[in-house]
Amino acid sequence: MKHDYENACESVEFIRKFFKREKFPDTAIVLGSGLGNLVDSLDEKIILPSSEIPNFPVSTAPGHAGKFVLGKLRNSREVVILQGRVHFYEYGAMNVVTFPVRLLAMLGVKNYLATNASGGINAEFAPGDLIAVRDHLNLMGTNPLIGKNDSRWNERFPDMSQVYDAEFLEIFRNMGLKTGIYAAFSGPSFETPAEVRMAKILGADLVGMSTVPEVIVAHAMGLRVAVLSFVANKAAGISDGKLSGQEVLDMAKNFSGKFADIIVEFTSKF
């Protein structure tokens, strides 16, 4: 499967027919590892399993349910939610990883809020903190815009100096959230202590295995981008214990109630 523009048009047509609507919410939220419970708090929700959407890549990672959901938050803000994402380590192809965000843009989404679980590098960040990402380091060894360019999607050389929307960042700061720089590695192995030290020297506060490819594409397609990163543990070499995927899921699950409150407050301010 190419996951090209024609494939995307087929997927978009299916999604529109399933939900029986042409106009979609202007705000999309992608839920990272263990943060999928936000869907439980939606009103008037309609759920489409991602596996039923033609050409749509299905997540195989734990804590990613693989659902395309429309509904209303407690503040009556209508949103599109992707309950789970696909990672580069699952498919090894950036065009697959970023296909969902391309569909969202084609459906009319304007505001793109991605969430993830991360390892904390910054000593001031503790497990359980929610950090607003203000910039990133792409350490995945590739870029989702590599390959033949399709101008129907984005320009060839998008500027990356202001990827993370300034107004959104100001809202997060006014809500009392700290901000940080997120470094993305390809995974699925956790980073080594040496890699974490390198990322710290380069300026990273957080480390993870996702988000950056989709953010690059979202920005290139003209979406306003925000990212919230949940610090699930201390990164390798900083943590006292052995890292595990289950630890990440457990921490995120315990945070789910507070997370929903933050999302509702944020989406009430723009």
Side-chain angles (χ1 to χ4, degrees), residues 194-242:
E195 288 169 338
V196 170
R197 289 195 299 272
M198 175 191 71
K200 183 177 182 179
I201 290 170
L202 293 175
D205 301 293
L206 306 158
V207 65
M209 306 174 191
S210 70
T211 307
V212 167
E214 66 206 56
V215 160
I216 292 173
V217 167
H219 178 69
M221 293 185 74
L223 277 60
R224 299 176 69 191
V225 173
V227 172
L228 289 174
S229 188
F230 174 70
V231 182
N233 51 33
K234 292 286 188 179
I238 300 173
S239 171
D240 294 329
K242 184 177 180 181

mmCIF file of all heavy atoms in Angstrom, residues 194-242:
data_model
loop_
_atom_site.group_PDB
_atom_site.id
_atom_site.type_symbol
_atom_site.label_atom_id
_atom_site.label_comp_id
_atom_site.label_asym_id
_atom_site.label_seq_id
_atom_site.Cartn_x
_atom_site.Cartn_y
_atom_site.Cartn_z
ATOM 1 N N ALA A 194 23.739 6.402 27.463
ATOM 2 C CA ALA A 194 24.594 7.265 26.644
ATOM 3 C C ALA A 194 23.752 8.102 25.679
ATOM 4 O O ALA A 194 24.031 9.292 25.445
ATOM 5 C CB ALA A 194 25.608 6.427 25.867
ATOM 6 N N GLU A 195 22.708 7.495 25.115
ATOM 7 C CA GLU A 195 21.834 8.234 24.205
ATOM 8 C C GLU A 195 21.069 9.321 24.946
ATOM 9 O O GLU A 195 20.846 10.422 24.416
ATOM 10 C CB GLU A 195 20.879 7.268 23.515
ATOM 11 C CG GLU A 195 21.558 6.385 22.478
ATOM 12 C CD GLU A 195 20.694 5.248 21.979
ATOM 13 O OE1 GLU A 195 19.732 4.857 22.695
ATOM 14 O OE2 GLU A 195 20.983 4.724 20.881
ATOM 15 N N VAL A 196 20.677 9.026 26.162
ATOM 16 C CA VAL A 196 19.987 10.034 26.969
ATOM 17 C C VAL A 196 20.929 11.185 27.308
ATOM 18 O O VAL A 196 20.541 12.361 27.244
ATOM 19 C CB VAL A 196 19.403 9.392 28.249
ATOM 20 C CG1 VAL A 196 18.902 10.464 29.211
ATOM 21 C CG2 VAL A 196 18.269 8.437 27.883
ATOM 22 N N ARG A 197 22.179 10.860 27.645
ATOM 23 C CA ARG A 197 23.157 11.926 27.918
ATOM 24 C C ARG A 197 23.366 12.786 26.675
ATOM 25 O O ARG A 197 23.475 14.013 26.767
ATOM 26 C CB ARG A 197 24.483 11.330 28.386
ATOM 27 C CG ARG A 197 24.438 10.730 29.786
ATOM 28 C CD ARG A 197 25.839 10.497 30.349
ATOM 29 N NE ARG A 197 26.608 9.559 29.542
ATOM 30 C CZ ARG A 197 26.596 8.229 29.707
ATOM 31 N NH1 ARG A 197 25.819 7.694 30.649
ATOM 32 N NH2 ARG A 197 27.335 7.449 28.953
ATOM 33 N N MET A 198 23.433 12.154 25.503
ATOM 34 C CA MET A 198 23.573 12.897 24.255
ATOM 35 C C MET A 198 22.388 13.834 24.046
ATOM 36 O O MET A 198 22.560 15.018 23.711
ATOM 37 C CB MET A 198 23.679 11.929 23.079
ATOM 38 C CG MET A 198 23.707 12.619 21.726
ATOM 39 S SD MET A 198 23.525 11.491 20.321
ATOM 40 C CE MET A 198 21.788 11.028 20.485
ATOM 41 N N ALA A 199 21.181 13.310 24.236
ATOM 42 C CA ALA A 199 19.983 14.119 24.047
ATOM 43 C C ALA A 199 19.971 15.310 25.003
ATOM 44 O O ALA A 199 19.578 16.420 24.626
ATOM 45 C CB ALA A 199 18.738 13.263 24.240
ATOM 46 N N LYS A 200 20.428 15.073 26.224
ATOM 47 C CA LYS A 200 20.485 16.164 27.209
ATOM 48 C C LYS A 200 21.462 17.242 26.773
ATOM 49 O O LYS A 200 21.176 18.445 26.867
ATOM 50 C CB LYS A 200 20.878 15.613 28.583
ATOM 51 C CG LYS A 200 20.894 16.670 29.683
ATOM 52 C CD LYS A 200 21.220 16.053 31.040
ATOM 53 C CE LYS A 200 21.194 17.109 32.144
ATOM 54 N NZ LYS A 200 21.485 16.520 33.471
ATOM 55 N N ILE A 201 22.624 16.834 26.266
ATOM 56 C CA ILE A 201 23.614 17.796 25.786
ATOM 57 C C ILE A 201 23.046 18.627 24.635
ATOM 58 O O ILE A 201 23.306 19.827 24.508
ATOM 59 C CB ILE A 201 24.900 17.068 25.345
ATOM 60 C CG1 ILE A 201 25.618 16.498 26.567
ATOM 61 C CG2 ILE A 201 25.836 18.005 24.574
ATOM 62 C CD1 ILE A 201 26.758 15.550 26.229
ATOM 63 N N LEU A 202 22.231 17.992 23.804
ATOM 64 C CA LEU A 202 21.618 18.676 22.664
ATOM 65 C C LEU A 202 20.456 19.578 23.069
ATOM 66 O O LEU A 202 19.938 20.320 22.237
ATOM 67 C CB LEU A 202 21.130 17.650 21.642
ATOM 68 C CG LEU A 202 22.219 16.831 20.932
ATOM 69 C CD1 LEU A 202 21.586 15.762 20.046
ATOM 70 C CD2 LEU A 202 23.135 17.730 20.114
ATOM 71 N N GLY A 203 20.036 19.490 24.335
ATOM 72 C CA GLY A 203 18.997 20.385 24.834
ATOM 73 C C GLY A 203 17.665 19.753 25.130
ATOM 74 O O GLY A 203 16.701 20.462 25.445
ATOM 75 N N ALA A 204 17.562 18.434 25.047
ATOM 76 C CA ALA A 204 16.278 17.773 25.265
ATOM 77 C C ALA A 204 15.912 17.700 26.745
ATOM 78 O O ALA A 204 16.775 17.506 27.602
ATOM 79 C CB ALA A 204 16.305 16.366 24.681
ATOM 80 N N ASP A 205 14.635 17.848 27.016
ATOM 81 C CA ASP A 205 14.082 17.692 28.363
ATOM 82 C C ASP A 205 13.321 16.379 28.510
ATOM 83 O O ASP A 205 13.115 15.897 29.622
ATOM 84 C CB ASP A 205 13.118 18.838 28.674
ATOM 85 C CG ASP A 205 13.766 20.196 28.592
ATOM 86 O OD1 ASP A 205 14.636 20.482 29.436
ATOM 87 O OD2 ASP A 205 13.409 20.972 27.680
ATOM 88 N N LEU A 206 12.870 15.842 27.364
ATOM 89 C CA LEU A 206 12.034 14.649 27.335
ATOM 90 C C LEU A 206 12.497 13.751 26.196
ATOM 91 O O LEU A 206 13.056 14.235 25.206
ATOM 92 C CB LEU A 206 10.569 15.035 27.076
ATOM 93 C CG LEU A 206 9.931 16.064 28.005
ATOM 94 C CD1 LEU A 206 8.746 16.717 27.308
ATOM 95 C CD2 LEU A 206 9.483 15.397 29.293
ATOM 96 N N VAL A 207 12.221 12.467 26.325
ATOM 97 C CA VAL A 207 12.584 11.545 25.259
ATOM 98 C C VAL A 207 11.452 10.559 25.036
ATOM 99 O O VAL A 207 10.767 10.150 25.976
ATOM 100 C CB VAL A 207 13.906 10.817 25.590
ATOM 101 C CG1 VAL A 207 13.745 9.922 26.805
ATOM 102 C CG2 VAL A 207 14.432 10.057 24.399
ATOM 103 N N GLY A 208 11.231 10.201 23.767
ATOM 104 C CA GLY A 208 10.167 9.258 23.442
ATOM 105 C C GLY A 208 10.350 8.666 22.062
ATOM 106 O O GLY A 208 11.393 8.855 21.419
ATOM 107 N N MET A 209 9.320 7.953 21.585
ATOM 108 C CA MET A 209 9.419 7.194 20.332
ATOM 109 C C MET A 209 8.327 7.569 19.333
ATOM 110 O O MET A 209 8.001 6.772 18.457
ATOM 111 C CB MET A 209 9.315 5.691 20.630
ATOM 112 C CG MET A 209 10.290 5.155 21.646
ATOM 113 S SD MET A 209 9.948 3.419 22.014
ATOM 114 C CE MET A 209 11.022 3.170 23.445
ATOM 115 N N SER A 210 7.773 8.766 19.439
ATOM 116 C CA SER A 210 6.632 9.102 18.575
ATOM 117 C C SER A 210 6.534 10.591 18.343
ATOM 118 O O SER A 210 7.460 11.357 18.611
ATOM 119 C CB SER A 210 5.328 8.601 19.231
ATOM 120 O OG SER A 210 5.029 9.369 20.388
ATOM 121 N N THR A 211 5.404 11.008 17.818
ATOM 122 C CA THR A 211 4.919 12.380 17.763
ATOM 123 C C THR A 211 5.617 13.265 16.728
ATOM 124 O O THR A 211 4.956 13.966 15.961
ATOM 125 C CB THR A 211 4.998 13.058 19.162
ATOM 126 O OG1 THR A 211 4.334 12.235 20.123
ATOM 127 C CG2 THR A 211 4.376 14.438 19.146
ATOM 128 N N VAL A 212 6.940 13.267 16.699
ATOM 129 C CA VAL A 212 7.661 14.191 15.823
ATOM 130 C C VAL A 212 7.311 14.009 14.350
ATOM 131 O O VAL A 212 7.070 15.010 13.651
ATOM 132 C CB VAL A 212 9.181 14.101 16.072
ATOM 133 C CG1 VAL A 212 9.960 14.802 14.968
ATOM 134 C CG2 VAL A 212 9.524 14.728 17.424
ATOM 135 N N PRO A 213 7.236 12.785 13.815
ATOM 136 C CA PRO A 213 6.861 12.666 12.397
ATOM 137 C C PRO A 213 5.502 13.277 12.079
ATOM 138 O O PRO A 213 5.351 14.003 11.093
ATOM 139 C CB PRO A 213 6.862 11.152 12.162
ATOM 140 C CG PRO A 213 7.804 10.611 13.178
ATOM 141 C CD PRO A 213 7.607 11.468 14.392
ATOM 142 N N GLU A 214 4.515 13.007 12.926
ATOM 143 C CA GLU A 214 3.174 13.531 12.651
ATOM 144 C C GLU A 214 3.118 15.043 12.819
ATOM 145 O O GLU A 214 2.402 15.737 12.087
ATOM 146 C CB GLU A 214 2.142 12.842 13.553
ATOM 147 C CG GLU A 214 2.277 13.129 15.022
ATOM 148 C CD GLU A 214 1.713 12.036 15.917
ATOM 149 O OE1 GLU A 214 2.121 10.866 15.792
ATOM 150 O OE2 GLU A 214 0.851 12.369 16.749
ATOM 151 N N VAL A 215 3.903 15.571 13.763
ATOM 152 C CA VAL A 215 3.959 17.017 13.967
ATOM 153 C C VAL A 215 4.570 17.714 12.747
ATOM 154 O O VAL A 215 4.087 18.770 12.313
ATOM 155 C CB VAL A 215 4.765 17.340 15.241
ATOM 156 C CG1 VAL A 215 5.255 18.781 15.232
ATOM 157 C CG2 VAL A 215 3.915 17.089 16.482
ATOM 158 N N ILE A 216 5.625 17.136 12.186
ATOM 159 C CA ILE A 216 6.249 17.705 10.988
ATOM 160 C C ILE A 216 5.228 17.787 9.851
ATOM 161 O O ILE A 216 5.094 18.818 9.181
ATOM 162 C CB ILE A 216 7.470 16.871 10.565
ATOM 163 C CG1 ILE A 216 8.594 17.009 11.598
ATOM 164 C CG2 ILE A 216 7.961 17.300 9.175
ATOM 165 C CD1 ILE A 216 9.779 16.079 11.348
ATOM 166 N N VAL A 217 4.484 16.717 9.651
ATOM 167 C CA VAL A 217 3.497 16.682 8.576
ATOM 168 C C VAL A 217 2.327 17.625 8.871
ATOM 169 O O VAL A 217 1.858 18.352 7.986
ATOM 170 C CB VAL A 217 3.011 15.243 8.340
ATOM 171 C CG1 VAL A 217 1.772 15.225 7.455
ATOM 172 C CG2 VAL A 217 4.119 14.413 7.717
ATOM 173 N N ALA A 218 1.850 17.632 10.107
ATOM 174 C CA ALA A 218 0.744 18.523 10.470
ATOM 175 C C ALA A 218 1.120 19.977 10.211
ATOM 176 O O ALA A 218 0.342 20.751 9.630
ATOM 177 C CB ALA A 218 0.366 18.317 11.937
ATOM 178 N N HIS A 219 2.318 20.358 10.627
ATOM 179 C CA HIS A 219 2.782 21.729 10.418
ATOM 180 C C HIS A 219 2.933 22.026 8.928
ATOM 181 O O HIS A 219 2.544 23.097 8.452
ATOM 182 C CB HIS A 219 4.105 21.933 11.150
ATOM 183 C CG HIS A 219 4.691 23.299 10.966
ATOM 184 N ND1 HIS A 219 4.128 24.426 11.503
ATOM 185 C CD2 HIS A 219 5.803 23.716 10.280
ATOM 186 C CE1 HIS A 219 4.859 25.490 11.175
ATOM 187 N NE2 HIS A 219 5.873 25.078 10.430
ATOM 188 N N ALA A 220 3.487 21.077 8.190
ATOM 189 C CA ALA A 220 3.682 21.269 6.755
ATOM 190 C C ALA A 220 2.358 21.447 6.023
ATOM 191 O O ALA A 220 2.290 22.146 5.002
ATOM 192 C CB ALA A 220 4.448 20.089 6.165
ATOM 193 N N MET A 221 1.297 20.839 6.558
ATOM 194 C CA MET A 221 -0.026 20.937 5.936
ATOM 195 C C MET A 221 -0.835 22.116 6.465
ATOM 196 O O MET A 221 -2.015 22.270 6.129
ATOM 197 C CB MET A 221 -0.791 19.628 6.138
ATOM 198 C CG MET A 221 -0.172 18.458 5.397
ATOM 199 S SD MET A 221 -1.134 16.922 5.496
ATOM 200 C CE MET A 221 -2.503 17.293 4.371
ATOM 201 N N GLY A 222 -0.215 22.953 7.305
ATOM 202 C CA GLY A 222 -0.847 24.189 7.747
ATOM 203 C C GLY A 222 -1.672 24.106 9.008
ATOM 204 O O GLY A 222 -2.397 25.052 9.341
ATOM 205 N N LEU A 223 -1.575 22.995 9.745
ATOM 206 C CA LEU A 223 -2.324 22.879 10.993
ATOM 207 C C LEU A 223 -1.610 23.603 12.130
ATOM 208 O O LEU A 223 -0.382 23.696 12.147
ATOM 209 C CB LEU A 223 -2.518 21.403 11.367
ATOM 210 C CG LEU A 223 -3.682 20.652 10.711
ATOM 211 C CD1 LEU A 223 -3.549 20.635 9.204
ATOM 212 C CD2 LEU A 223 -3.765 19.227 11.247
ATOM 213 N N ARG A 224 -2.408 24.116 13.062
ATOM 214 C CA ARG A 224 -1.841 24.666 14.292
ATOM 215 C C ARG A 224 -1.538 23.486 15.222
ATOM 216 O O ARG A 224 -2.415 22.658 15.484
ATOM 217 C CB ARG A 224 -2.820 25.619 14.969
ATOM 218 C CG ARG A 224 -3.191 26.822 14.129
ATOM 219 C CD ARG A 224 -4.246 27.666 14.834
ATOM 220 N NE ARG A 224 -3.689 28.324 16.016
ATOM 221 C CZ ARG A 224 -4.438 28.943 16.933
ATOM 222 N NH1 ARG A 224 -5.758 28.939 16.840
ATOM 223 N NH2 ARG A 224 -3.871 29.531 17.976
ATOM 224 N N VAL A 225 -0.316 23.440 15.729
ATOM 225 C CA VAL A 225 0.154 22.251 16.444
ATOM 226 C C VAL A 225 0.401 22.542 17.919
ATOM 227 O O VAL A 225 0.975 23.575 18.287
ATOM 228 C CB VAL A 225 1.457 21.724 15.804
ATOM 229 C CG1 VAL A 225 2.054 20.607 16.639
ATOM 230 C CG2 VAL A 225 1.188 21.252 14.381
ATOM 231 N N ALA A 226 -0.042 21.601 18.750
ATOM 232 C CA ALA A 226 0.297 21.599 20.175
ATOM 233 C C ALA A 226 0.599 20.160 20.577
ATOM 234 O O ALA A 226 0.029 19.221 20.026
ATOM 235 C CB ALA A 226 -0.852 22.143 21.013
ATOM 236 N N VAL A 227 1.516 20.000 21.526
ATOM 237 C CA VAL A 227 1.858 18.668 22.028
ATOM 238 C C VAL A 227 1.950 18.704 23.538
ATOM 239 O O VAL A 227 2.606 19.582 24.112
ATOM 240 C CB VAL A 227 3.193 18.164 21.437
ATOM 241 C CG1 VAL A 227 3.629 16.869 22.126
ATOM 242 C CG2 VAL A 227 3.076 17.942 19.937
ATOM 243 N N LEU A 228 1.290 17.748 24.177
ATOM 244 C CA LEU A 228 1.400 17.548 25.611
ATOM 245 C C LEU A 228 2.080 16.210 25.865
ATOM 246 O O LEU A 228 1.653 15.179 25.328
ATOM 247 C CB LEU A 228 0.023 17.556 26.271
ATOM 248 C CG LEU A 228 -0.691 18.900 26.331
ATOM 249 C CD1 LEU A 228 -2.111 18.731 26.886
ATOM 250 C CD2 LEU A 228 0.086 19.905 27.183
ATOM 251 N N SER A 229 3.127 16.236 26.667
ATOM 252 C CA SER A 229 3.891 15.021 26.947
ATOM 253 C C SER A 229 3.788 14.667 28.423
ATOM 254 O O SER A 229 4.139 15.469 29.294
ATOM 255 C CB SER A 229 5.363 15.227 26.555
ATOM 256 O OG SER A 229 6.083 14.017 26.648
ATOM 257 N N PHE A 230 3.301 13.474 28.691
ATOM 258 C CA PHE A 230 3.151 12.981 30.056
ATOM 259 C C PHE A 230 4.436 12.270 30.468
ATOM 260 O O PHE A 230 4.851 11.300 29.829
ATOM 261 C CB PHE A 230 1.967 12.020 30.145
ATOM 262 C CG PHE A 230 1.819 11.347 31.485
ATOM 263 C CD1 PHE A 230 1.419 12.072 32.590
ATOM 264 C CD2 PHE A 230 2.082 9.993 31.635
ATOM 265 C CE1 PHE A 230 1.281 11.455 33.830
ATOM 266 C CE2 PHE A 230 1.949 9.377 32.865
ATOM 267 C CZ PHE A 230 1.553 10.114 33.969
ATOM 268 N N VAL A 231 5.068 12.754 31.515
ATOM 269 C CA VAL A 231 6.308 12.142 31.996
ATOM 270 C C VAL A 231 5.948 10.885 32.775
ATOM 271 O O VAL A 231 5.457 10.945 33.901
ATOM 272 C CB VAL A 231 7.114 13.120 32.871
ATOM 273 C CG1 VAL A 231 8.432 12.467 33.311
ATOM 274 C CG2 VAL A 231 7.397 14.410 32.121
ATOM 275 N N ALA A 232 6.185 9.744 32.151
ATOM 276 C CA ALA A 232 5.803 8.470 32.770
ATOM 277 C C ALA A 232 6.892 7.923 33.680
ATOM 278 O O ALA A 232 6.607 7.177 34.624
ATOM 279 C CB ALA A 232 5.469 7.436 31.697
ATOM 280 N N ASN A 233 8.138 8.275 33.391
ATOM 281 C CA ASN A 233 9.259 7.794 34.207
ATOM 282 C C ASN A 233 10.481 8.650 33.932
ATOM 283 O O ASN A 233 10.471 9.500 33.038
ATOM 284 C CB ASN A 233 9.562 6.312 33.906
ATOM 285 C CG ASN A 233 9.711 6.047 32.410
ATOM 286 O OD1 ASN A 233 10.177 6.891 31.651
ATOM 287 N ND2 ASN A 233 9.304 4.872 31.980
ATOM 288 N N LYS A 234 11.509 8.438 34.707
ATOM 289 C CA LYS A 234 12.795 9.058 34.437
ATOM 290 C C LYS A 234 13.482 8.258 33.332
ATOM 291 O O LYS A 234 13.384 7.030 33.277
ATOM 292 C CB LYS A 234 13.668 9.058 35.690
ATOM 293 C CG LYS A 234 13.168 9.977 36.803
ATOM 294 C CD LYS A 234 13.427 11.439 36.467
ATOM 295 C CE LYS A 234 13.104 12.350 37.644
ATOM 296 N NZ LYS A 234 13.385 13.778 37.340
ATOM 297 N N ALA A 235 14.189 8.942 32.445
ATOM 298 C CA ALA A 235 14.831 8.272 31.321
ATOM 299 C C ALA A 235 15.999 7.399 31.794
ATOM 300 O O ALA A 235 16.462 7.500 32.938
ATOM 301 C CB ALA A 235 15.326 9.307 30.317
ATOM 302 N N ALA A 236 16.479 6.538 30.906
ATOM 303 C CA ALA A 236 17.566 5.602 31.222
ATOM 304 C C ALA A 236 18.805 6.347 31.713
ATOM 305 O O ALA A 236 19.193 7.376 31.160
ATOM 306 C CB ALA A 236 17.918 4.781 29.985
ATOM 307 N N GLY A 237 19.411 5.813 32.753
ATOM 308 C CA GLY A 237 20.580 6.448 33.341
ATOM 309 C C GLY A 237 20.223 7.475 34.391
ATOM 310 O O GLY A 237 21.069 7.863 35.207
ATOM 311 N N ILE A 238 18.968 7.935 34.365
ATOM 312 C CA ILE A 238 18.451 8.853 35.387
ATOM 313 C C ILE A 238 17.545 8.082 36.327
ATOM 314 O O ILE A 238 17.548 8.301 37.539
ATOM 315 C CB ILE A 238 17.690 10.015 34.726
ATOM 316 C CG1 ILE A 238 18.626 10.789 33.781
ATOM 317 C CG2 ILE A 238 17.105 10.954 35.781
ATOM 318 C CD1 ILE A 238 17.918 11.840 32.958
ATOM 319 N N SER A 239 16.802 7.145 35.748
ATOM 320 C CA SER A 239 15.942 6.271 36.535
ATOM 321 C C SER A 239 16.780 5.313 37.376
ATOM 322 O O SER A 239 17.841 4.853 36.952
ATOM 323 C CB SER A 239 15.026 5.470 35.604
ATOM 324 O OG SER A 239 14.326 4.477 36.304
ATOM 325 N N ASP A 240 16.285 4.993 38.562
ATOM 326 C CA ASP A 240 16.974 4.042 39.439
ATOM 327 C C ASP A 240 16.715 2.602 39.039
ATOM 328 O O ASP A 240 17.495 1.708 39.349
ATOM 329 C CB ASP A 240 16.537 4.241 40.901
ATOM 330 C CG ASP A 240 16.966 5.586 41.458
ATOM 331 O OD1 ASP A 240 18.024 6.084 41.012
ATOM 332 O OD2 ASP A 240 16.252 6.118 42.311
ATOM 333 N N GLY A 241 15.592 2.381 38.347
ATOM 334 C CA GLY A 241 15.199 1.007 38.037
ATOM 335 C C GLY A 241 15.213 0.706 36.559
ATOM 336 O O GLY A 241 15.588 1.528 35.716
ATOM 337 N N LYS A 242 14.779 -0.498 36.234
ATOM 338 C CA LYS A 242 14.701 -0.959 34.858
ATOM 339 C C LYS A 242 13.431 -0.407 34.219
ATOM 340 O O LYS A 242 12.361 -0.457 34.802
ATOM 341 C CB LYS A 242 14.679 -2.495 34.839
ATOM 342 C CG LYS A 242 14.701 -3.106 33.460
ATOM 343 C CD LYS A 242 14.752 -4.630 33.573
ATOM 344 C CE LYS A 242 14.767 -5.287 32.207
ATOM 345 N NZ LYS A 242 14.798 -6.774 32.292
#
